[in-house]
Amino acid sequence: MIETITQRQWIFGARQAGLRLRVALISHIYKKGLNLSSKSRQRHSGGEIMNYMSVDVQRITDFMYYINVIWMLPVQVTLAVCILHTNLGLGSLAALAATLTVMGMNIPLTRIQKRYQSKIMEAKDNRMKATSEVLRNMKTLKLQAWDTEFQNRLEELRATESIWLWKSLRQGAFSAFIFWGSPTFISLVTFWVCMLMGIELTAGRVLSAFATFRMLQDPIFNLPDLLNVVAQGKVSVDRIASYLREEEVQHNAIEYVPRDHTQFDIVIEKGRFSWDSEPSNPTLDGIDLRVKRGMKVALCGTVGSGKSSLLSSILGEMYKQSGTVKIGGTKAYVPQSPWILTGNFRDNITFGKEYNSVKYEKTIEACALIKDFELFSCGDLTEIGERGINMSGGQKQRIQIARSVYQDADIYLFDDPFSAVDAHTGSHLFKECLMGVLREKTILYVTHQVEFLPAADLILVMQNGRIAQAGTFEQLLKQNIGFEVLVGAHNQALESILMVENSSRKTLNSAPEGESNDNSQSNSELSHTQHNIEQGSPPEINEKEGKLVQDEERERGSISREVYWTYLTTVKGGALVPLILLAQSSFQVLQVASNYWMAWVCPTSSDAKPTFKMDFILLVYMALSVGSAFCVLLRAILVAKAGLWTAQKLFINMLHSILRAPMSFFDSTPHGRILNRASTDQSVLDLEMATKLGWCAFSIIQILGTIAVMSQVAWQVFVIFIPVTAVCVWYQRYYTPTARELARLSQIQIAPILHHFAESLAGVASIRAFDQEGRFVYSNLELIDSYSKPWFHNVSAMEWLSYRLNLLSNFVFAFSLVLLVVLPEGIINPSIAGLAVTYGINLNVLQASVIWNICNAENKMISVERIIQYSNIKSEAALVIEDSRPPNNWPEIGTICFKNLQIRYAEHLPSVLKSINCTFPGRKKIGVVGRTGSGKSTLIQAIFRIVEPWEGSIVIDDLDICKIGLHDLRLRLSIIPQDPTMFEGTVRGNLDPLEQHSDKEVWEALDKCQLGQLVRSKQEKLQASVVENGENWSAGQRQLFCLGRALLKKSSILVLDEATASVDSATDGVIQKIIGQEFKDRTVVTIAHRIHTVIDSDLVLVLSDGKIAQFDAPSKLLEREDSFFSKLIREYSRRSQSFISLATQNGQ
């Protein structure tokens, strides 16, 4: 009784200590993530840090359970040896020596195991890093038809991980062989030594020794587990410790000055900054800047000149090598790549500040968001998908601007916020936000649009990390040293527009009167706020009240037999299962036989003569014992092999299923859910599942062996044993449903922690700029609490069951002992009765362990259930249809014909594109314009079959694209997407991941897209590194790499999806020229906000509410005063008129 109560108490206490440790570690890892320097971020990817949070923290928590075992082991061994000494005298020393030898064998085994664990975690990190990158860039992979290539890469990384897993499991099997065989080895050594020393072995002494060896068995069995957990824990502790020691951002880089002490909001003196602490190559050098309160400072310069870096240095994100930075007031920051939180629009804008309706309305009006909110079913309370997946680029950018405006800070830093919005919205934001709501504030804004420069009080021209020129617009134009290159490029673009516009005006008067009115209804629908590109995701789902991301699905009720059956029969149809059971049964039979043999042949008293010679008795015992140990070795290797094989197969099934899922699955499934399965659940399958399931069978076989021995002696025990077993089963039935649901709940609660962390890492610069670290740390703690609650209750329920089972089995053993003592003499053989008692000692433990193992296996089985759940996702169309392969030269001309095209994202949703009937002639340039939500991106996605037509068809060069495989289609088309994507690896690997081109071709493409010189200047040339997300290249450079991919592909059809948003006017001019030359005989479809990129098109398609509003040559559309296109051109030229007059005055 005392043993049971105290044991359950310490295990419960250890579990609680583990829970507290988990909470402390996760929150520390999170806080560290918010403070990592840029260099440290490059060393630890998001996937890697998530591994620390999910796998490493779990391993350290598991170690807490074993903390008492460490000191209990020597105590147990000492007591056992003392008992042996009273029984066998000096023979006990042999037992002690044998025990210490067995335990000593652990030391080299543990060292090897620790090395394997390090390798496993390293391989897992690499796989998780690659998996999170693939999930993040899934759209790019599908558009470029690279999904198979990246799937192969993930499989290779998994294969490496499997090699180390097998080495670790194989060694685990060898350890099991040693330790299951150890009681036999110890007893053999002891008995031989006793024989040699002349100590008489009677049945009483042998059985007493057996009982003691069984006591020793426990610490010896626990030792490999303990050392394994210590090895895993040590590796995990080292990994987390090295991460927590990583370099942080310089907390003293910025000096905050009270606002009433200075008239300057920003002062940088002799600033020298870099992205790492190496002094050799500063990113910015010789920076001197003084910004008075209320000044508007514009930053311009070519791609990669250091504009964004200058803003980062003011935020304290860069390493300050020398100089001083003084800031007077609070900051608000809008990064170049939009950072949107999962939640609703309102939460994203208020960003932790209290909701004030007057201020809020004023903010969304200034940011031109009112019209957008009207498009969504729940207005500003509509839920946003992960990373703003159901929003367009322009909407994301405006939400960010609204967030900064609502904060009402003193200093505003805008990193090119106008690139993602069209001409009209850009003007509106500039006028209403920068020059309206924020007119009193200090603003630094990076821009590539020259027309926003004249309004600035000071313009800084950046070049090679220095401020090359500074002054007002007029002063800079007079200086004539570089600034005019940017202005000149913009002038040329503007002149081409004005020329087209003027020529159209002349023909306007002669147009028939009724003509301009034929589309009046459509035109009136075209709102004056033509926003940015609709990023092509499902519009809001009315039925689900604005919920795009649904709660994670979890199974309910008991785990279905299919899950168990799938797990057991995945490998060889389950052929290995009977072999495993046979090996374990043979072990049990041989072990019982060896003990039986010793009890039967040894004399019951010192007077009686032994039946056989002692050395023969020990030889038979040895043969039986060695046989049983080899059965264990066979069983352990089979379990390890079958378990890993099954885990591997299920992983590959899940991977294939996820990568073949349609884009809509990724839009509505947060990546944390997928990563949780690929990390935590997969880890359970790799290392625990087979063993846990095996133990269910093994403990049942063990208890059957024990029952068999006891029934030989005192069958009366079953009078009590059977009802007690029935009570145990009832308890287990009562406990299991609760435990199962609690385990499922806690599994589901891990994903939000990982998701929140990934989101925080992505926007860490914004979180720090707005001084919101405290709020995010608190949110993280709330999520950890949500996870800890079901976990704590699960552990409590476990202890509740264990306590009751232990008490019941104690009762059975006590009853058995009383029965054996009170039975009249002569009814049973005393030596066999002794054997029954030695087995009976373990009966209580075994009975509890059977129920315990079944419950444990069921809890772990949830991981299998979750992985199988993601192995049956509805997939996209076939990648290749062998009977319907297009000709090698298709598409030759590049004519795209839309026939009654209708597209909707789900059955219950309205159509996004309605009855589109038009033809893009081959080898022509087509521009596509329209306001947000008009269906521009959906049209582009339909061409690539990211979304499938609901009705109608798309025919390219007389071939219906729905009748060919997805890879045959996507490999023949090129796209330069709006969000430039780069993968971790090398420059060459980013341009040509399929390795279809020679180095010479790659260099040519780099030269054409203006990156040749930059890449040549790097030491590794084409092997120059690209870090996660391409963060060591500027946004403009990433955009140019995407152009390089298209140039290498040389398709007949090129789609430009706002492709030059992140580059300056001069580079944009060069790119347009290159596209004009390289794709002169190809079909080019362009969605753009820079009007001059569309004005040169042969035809312009105007979309409105998913219908075609107009489709004609630009000059024809301009003849109509009220056409949407005319309005757009007028807005653009009017905005730039002031700029032109300034430029001409200065030019003269």
Side-chain angles (χ1 to χ4, degrees):
M1 277 293 288
I2 294 167
E3 182 200 7
T4 300
I5 292 167
T6 51
Q7 187 185 31
R8 297 299 10 137
Q9 278 300 323
W10 80 251
I11 290 177
F12 189 45
R15 297 270 190 208
Q16 284 174 289
L19 181 64
R20 291 192 179 99
L21 183 63
R22 172 197 294 275
V23 173
L25 283 172
I26 292 179
S27 61
H28 265 76
I29 291 170
Y30 182 83
K31 280 181 194 164
K32 184 73 180 183
L34 292 185
N35 287 304
L36 283 181
S37 70
S38 170
K39 192 178 176 185
S40 305
R41 283 281 306 279
Q42 289 180 17
R43 271 206 293 266
H44 298 273
S45 71
E48 206 174 305
I49 302 172
M50 281 190 195
N51 248 352
Y52 300 151
M53 266 193 177
S54 52
V55 181
D56 289 298
V57 168
Q58 180 64 49
R59 288 179 164 190
I60 294 168
T61 311
D62 289 345
F63 172 70
M64 294 305 291
Y65 177 73
Y66 285 88
I67 214 148
N68 271 341
V69 180
I70 296 172
W71 64 264
M72 274 167 62
L73 269 174
V75 173
Q76 281 174 307
V77 172
T78 310
L79 289 173
V81 171
C82 289
I83 294 167
L84 271 178
H85 189 263
T86 58
N87 192 18
L88 297 176
L90 288 175
S92 63
L93 294 176
L96 178 64
T99 306
L100 293 176
T101 309
V102 170
M103 289 184 160
M105 288 172 77
N106 263 307
I107 296 163
L109 290 176
T110 308
R111 281 199 186 129
I112 299 168
Q113 190 64 279
K114 190 180 161 199
R115 189 171 73 87
Y116 288 159
Q117 289 302 326
S118 297
K119 293 287 186 189
I120 289 170
M121 293 314 291
E122 200 179 297
K124 191 184 265 316
D125 281 349
N126 291 338
R127 174 172 64 82
M128 289 308 296
K129 196 194 282 187
T131 307
S132 64
E133 185 172 60
V134 164
L135 293 176
R136 211 172 33 244
N137 302 313
M138 187 51 81
K139 197 169 196 177
T140 304
L141 295 181
K142 287 190 181 294
L143 287 168
Q144 303 280 6
W146 292 345
D147 37 2
T148 312
E149 169 64 23
F150 277 79
Q151 177 181 301
N152 295 339
R153 289 184 190 182
L154 287 175
E155 285 179 15
E156 280 169 23
L157 290 167
R158 171 66 189 174
T160 309
E161 186 185 359
S162 288
I163 290 167
W164 291 110
L165 281 166
W166 169 238
K167 286 184 175 176
S168 170
L169 290 168
R170 188 180 57 195
Q171 201 216 304
F174 183 62
S175 300
F177 164 64
I178 291 174
F179 299 110
W180 278 78
S182 59
T184 313
F185 168 71
I186 296 167
S187 52
L188 264 176
V189 170
T190 312
F191 293 153
W192 279 109
V193 168
C194 286
M195 196 180 84
L196 293 171
M197 291 171 76
I199 297 168
E200 197 173 4
L201 291 176
T202 61
R205 279 178 173 173
V206 168
L207 291 170
S208 165
F210 274 153
T212 314
F213 294 145
R214 285 180 91 80
M215 274 171 62
L216 267 180
Q217 198 170 357
D218 225 22
I220 292 172
F221 271 11
N222 280 339
L223 196 61
D225 270 355
L226 172 68
L227 293 169
N228 213 356
V229 168
V230 168
Q232 288 182 358
K234 177 80 172 74
V235 169
S236 292
V237 165
D238 290 346
R239 280 157 53 82
I240 291 177
S242 86
Y243 164 74
L244 292 175
R245 282 197 296 267
E246 278 293 354
E247 180 183 76
E248 295 190 2
V249 285
Q250 259 181 311
H251 295 292
N252 59 352
I254 294 175
E255 193 183 320
Y256 290 95
V257 182
R259 282 177 75 73
D260 48 2
H261 287 191
T262 175
Q263 56 174 343
F264 292 101
D265 271 353
I266 301 169
V267 177
I268 303 178
E269 290 170 346
K270 296 182 183 146
R272 184 184 166 102
F273 305 93
S274 74
W275 283 110
D276 55 39
S277 43
E278 303 293 315
S280 52
N281 53 340
T283 313
L284 298 174
D285 201 1
I287 304 292
D288 281 293
L289 177 64
R290 299 171 87 77
V291 180
K292 276 191 176 167
R293 191 160 302 146
M295 266 178 90
K296 308 285 177 277
V297 181
L299 293 165
C300 63
T302 54
V303 172
S305 57
K307 304 180 293 297
S308 301
S309 296
L310 183 59
L311 294 188
S312 296
S313 67
I314 295 166
L315 288 169
E317 291 293 314
M318 292 180 80
Y319 185 80
K320 185 180 75 178
Q321 294 183 348
S322 61
T324 55
V325 181
K326 292 179 183 171
I327 301 286
T330 54
K331 312 179 293 292
Y333 171 57
V334 176
Q336 193 167 10
S337 306
W339 176 63
I340 302 293
L341 285 159
T342 307
N344 57 38
F345 289 110
R346 187 181 290 178
D347 292 343
N348 266 280
I349 293 170
T350 55
F351 200 60
K353 284 241 172 175
E354 207 174 313
Y355 175 70
N356 175 326
S357 57
V358 179
K359 183 173 159 189
Y360 181 78
E361 291 302 325
K362 200 171 151 193
T363 301
I364 62 170
E365 195 177 333
C367 297
L369 281 165
I370 295 172
K371 282 274 187 300
D372 297 272
F373 291 163
E374 285 169 4
L375 289 174
F376 293 109
S377 57
C378 299
D380 63 344
L381 295 177
T382 299
E383 193 180 314
I384 297 172
E386 189 174 15
R387 294 173 300 133
I389 203 98
N390 54 331
M391 295 160 67
S392 67
Q395 284 169 333
K396 289 184 209 172
Q397 201 59 282
R398 280 176 287 130
I399 292 281
Q400 282 207 118
I401 296 170
R403 177 193 299 157
S404 65
V405 172
Y406 192 82
Q407 292 299 308
D408 195 23
D410 304 315
I411 301 163
Y412 282 81
L413 305 172
F414 290 118
D415 196 350
D416 198 14
F418 311 114
S419 64
V421 295
D422 61 81
H424 181 92
T425 313
S427 305
H428 178 93
L429 286 170
F430 194 76
K431 210 158 49 199
E432 299 298 322
C433 274
L434 272 73
M435 298 300 166
V437 185
L438 305 177
R439 62 184 173 277
E440 309 286 316
K441 311 286 187 184
T442 306
I443 301 175
L444 267 77
Y445 61 98
V446 172
T447 184
H448 289 130
Q449 278 125 310
V450 179
E451 58 270 29
F452 294 132
L453 295 176
D457 302 313
L458 174 67
I459 298 170
L460 305 177
V461 182
M462 299 297 295
Q463 208 174 347
N464 300 329
R466 291 173 177 273
I467 299 174
Q469 292 165 278
T472 60
F473 191 80
E474 295 89 334
Q475 289 168 346
L476 291 180
L477 275 177
K478 286 173 187 158
Q479 287 180 18
N480 267 5
I481 49 164
F483 181 63
E484 72 287 348
V485 176
L486 296 173
V487 176
H490 180 79
N491 260 346
Q492 277 173 343
L494 198 55
E495 278 159 20
S496 69
I497 288 174
L498 296 176
M499 206 162 67
V500 175
E501 193 183 10
N502 294 336
S503 67
S504 303
R505 290 283 164 272
K506 286 169 192 162
T507 54
L508 180 65
N509 302 330
S510 58
E513 272 182 44
E515 190 179 310
S516 65
N517 212 15
D518 62 349
N519 267 311
S520 59
Q521 191 213 340
S522 328
N523 289 329
S524 65
E525 285 171 19
L526 290 164
S527 140
H528 64 282
T529 52
Q530 187 261 7
H531 297 327
N532 172 24
I533 181 172
E534 184 251 325
Q535 195 65 2
S537 295
E540 283 310 304
I541 298 166
N542 296 319
E543 283 82 342
K544 309 262 170 92
E545 277 307 295
K547 230 172 157 38
L548 175 83
V549 177
Q550 297 306 312
D551 293 335
E552 185 170 356
E553 59 296 320
R554 66 181 169 97
E555 304 289 337
R556 280 176 171 76
S558 64
I559 291 169
S560 69
R561 289 200 184 119
E562 282 81 38
V563 174
Y564 284 100
W565 185 248
T566 305
Y567 184 78
L568 292 172
T569 58
T570 299
V571 174
K572 305 274 186 212
L576 294 176
V577 177
L579 290 175
I580 293 168
L581 294 176
L582 181 67
Q584 178 66 20
S585 306
S586 308
F587 161 76
Q588 195 63 39
V589 167
L590 289 169
Q591 205 186 33
V592 170
S594 63
N595 292 351
Y596 233 104
W597 167 254
M598 288 301 277
W600 180 59
V601 295
C602 287
T604 46
S605 65
S606 47
D607 308 333
K609 285 211 161 191
T611 324
F612 300 103
K613 274 191 165 177
M614 206 64 219
D615 47 2
F616 175 73
I617 291 173
L618 289 178
L619 271 173
V620 173
Y621 178 67
M622 191 164 105
L624 291 170
S625 303
V626 170
S628 72
F630 275 105
C631 287
V632 168
L633 179 63
L634 177 67
R635 181 213 79 196
I637 284 180
L638 285 174
V639 167
K641 190 74 189 164
L644 184 57
W645 221 341
T646 305
Q648 179 70 358
K649 235 173 172 177
L650 289 174
F651 173 79
I652 297 293
N653 292 350
M654 176 173 74
L655 179 68
H656 288 195
S657 172
I658 288 171
L659 292 185
R660 292 285 293 113
M663 218 36 234
S664 55
F665 169 76
F666 299 98
D667 293 348
S668 57
T669 307
H671 297 164
R673 288 182 195 172
I674 303 172
L675 291 173
N676 190 14
R677 281 167 172 82
S679 168
T680 316
D681 292 324
Q682 189 59 42
S683 204
V684 168
L685 259 74
D686 288 339
L687 296 165
E688 296 180 55
M689 195 62 246
T691 322
K692 292 279 187 288
L693 211 52
W695 271 109
C696 286
F698 309 154
S699 50
I700 289 170
I701 291 170
Q702 267 188 302
I703 203 164
L704 289 174
T706 305
I707 290 167
V709 171
M710 291 189 76
S711 62
Q712 292 283 308
V713 190
W715 57 263
Q716 295 89 339
V717 171
F718 291 98
V719 174
I720 188 86
F721 183 76
I722 290 166
V724 167
T725 303
V727 174
C728 286
V729 171
W730 180 83
Y731 267 132
Q732 186 249 338
R733 290 265 170 87
Y734 181 71
Y735 156 84
T736 304
T738 311
R740 189 177 47 231
E741 294 311 313
L742 285 168
R744 279 178 179 149
L745 278 172
S746 63
Q747 290 277 59
I748 284 173
Q749 294 299 339
I750 299 171
I753 298 174
L754 298 180
H755 174 66
H756 178 251
F757 184 61
E759 217 164 44
S760 307
L761 274 186
V764 73
S766 299
I767 295 171
R768 289 200 283 246
F770 288 108
D771 290 326
Q772 295 263 4
E773 293 100 322
R775 182 168 75 91
F776 276 80
V777 166
Y778 182 72
S779 300
N780 180 54
L781 288 172
E782 282 186 322
L783 290 169
I784 296 172
D785 279 352
S786 303
Y787 166 73
S788 301
K789 284 171 195 167
W791 196 87
F792 173 77
H793 291 302
N794 195 6
V795 166
S796 310
M798 228 179 252
E799 292 312 313
W800 176 90
L801 178 73
S802 301
Y803 176 66
R804 279 153 182 75
L805 293 182
N806 284 2
L807 281 182
L808 285 169
S809 43
N810 287 343
F811 176 61
V812 172
F813 181 58
F815 179 80
S816 312
L817 269 182
V818 169
L819 190 72
L820 289 169
V821 171
V822 298
L823 276 176
E825 206 174 319
I827 287 183
I828 50 169
N829 179 341
S831 53
I832 302 298
L835 182 67
V837 171
T838 61
Y839 270 87
I841 289 176
N842 265 20
L843 187 67
N844 61 338
V845 179
L846 280 174
Q847 194 180 14
S849 80
V850 170
I851 305 288
W852 169 240
N853 284 323
I854 290 170
C855 296
N856 209 346
E858 181 150 24
N859 281 355
K860 294 292 179 189
M861 207 69 198
I862 292 166
S863 291
V864 179
E865 179 183 70
R866 283 159 56 82
I867 282 178
I868 292 172
Q869 199 179 46
Y870 271 22
S871 302
N872 302 312
I873 305 162
K874 191 178 168 219
S875 76
E876 283 184 304
L879 296 180
V880 175
I881 301 169
E882 287 301 336
D883 305 338
S884 182
R885 305 280 315 248
N888 287 338
N889 61 348
W890 179 88
E892 196 173 0
I893 298 162
T895 306
I896 306 173
C897 180
F898 300 95
K899 296 180 180 171
N900 189 30
L901 181 69
Q902 295 217 27
I903 282 187
R904 57 175 74 171
Y905 284 100
E907 262 183 71
H908 58 279
L909 296 178
S911 295
V912 184
L913 291 180
K914 302 156 193 162
S915 308
I916 301 286
N917 281 299
C918 68
T919 300
F920 294 173
R923 298 174 181 164
K924 298 282 183 197
K925 311 278 177 281
I926 291 99
V928 182
V929 292
R931 67 181 177 84
T932 295
S934 60
K936 301 185 301 294
S937 265
T938 305
L939 187 73
I940 297 304
Q941 291 189 54
I943 296 173
F944 282 84
R945 283 178 66 193
I946 295 288
V947 284
E948 296 282 356
W950 190 252
E951 266 181 45
S953 62
I954 302 171
V955 177
I956 298 180
D957 282 4
D958 304 323
L959 189 62
D960 185 342
I961 62 167
C962 291
K963 295 203 164 81
I964 60 171
L966 291 178
H967 270 190
D968 279 336
L969 170 69
R970 292 169 184 170
L971 282 168
R972 316 279 179 109
L973 309 178
S974 286
I975 183 165
I976 305 177
Q978 183 184 15
D979 298 324
T981 303
M982 287 184 82
F983 299 91
E984 192 171 349
T986 63
V987 167
R988 198 193 192 300
N990 264 283
L991 283 167
D992 180 26
L994 306 180
E995 295 184 355
Q996 295 171 329
H997 304 277
S998 66
D999 281 4
K1000 185 169 176 259
E1001 290 173 300
V1002 173
W1003 277 117
E1004 278 172 17
L1006 281 170
D1007 287 331
K1008 282 174 188 164
C1009 65
Q1010 310 292 294
L1011 287 167
Q1013 201 178 342
L1014 178 68
V1015 176
R1016 280 190 184 89
S1017 69
K1018 301 212 176 256
Q1019 204 177 343
E1020 305 94 340
K1021 306 283 190 288
L1022 289 178
Q1023 298 307 312
S1025 75
V1026 176
V1027 301
E1028 192 178 22
N1029 289 336
E1031 279 174 13
N1032 56 340
W1033 301 82
S1034 76
Q1037 287 163 346
R1038 296 204 287 272
Q1039 197 88 66
L1040 293 173
F1041 272 114
C1042 293
L1043 172 64
R1045 285 175 194 159
L1047 292 170
L1048 269 178
K1049 212 169 177 185
K1050 296 191 178 79
S1051 308
S1052 301
I1053 297 173
L1054 171 68
V1055 178
L1056 301 169
D1057 191 350
E1058 190 48 48
T1060 55
S1062 308
V1063 298
D1064 57 89
S1065 296
T1067 314
D1068 184 22
V1070 176
I1071 290 173
Q1072 294 305 330
K1073 205 164 142 196
I1074 293 164
I1075 291 172
Q1077 288 166 359
E1078 294 294 317
F1079 294 92
K1080 63 173 178 289
D1081 292 329
R1082 319 265 172 90
T1083 308
V1084 180
V1085 181
T1086 310
I1087 295 177
H1089 298 138
R1090 288 185 176 169
I1091 300 303
H1092 59 270
T1093 54
V1094 183
I1095 200 91
D1096 296 334
S1097 304
D1098 300 306
L1099 292 163
V1100 171
L1101 172 70
V1102 182
L1103 286 173
S1104 167
D1105 292 333
K1107 297 179 192 144
I1108 296 178
Q1110 291 141 353
F1111 181 43
D1112 215 331
S1115 51
K1116 289 266 173 51
L1117 291 176
L1118 286 168
E1119 288 169 11
R1120 302 176 190 165
E1121 271 291 323
D1122 63 342
S1123 85
F1124 172 75
F1125 194 62
S1126 299
K1127 288 178 187 170
L1128 204 59
I1129 295 283
R1130 274 204 305 282
E1131 169 62 45
Y1132 191 77
S1133 49
R1134 190 166 60 240
R1135 183 171 83 176
S1136 302
Q1137 282 303 328
S1138 56
F1139 155 74
I1140 283 226
S1141 55
L1142 266 171
T1144 27
Q1145 282 168 23
N1146 291 298
Q1148 289 159 5

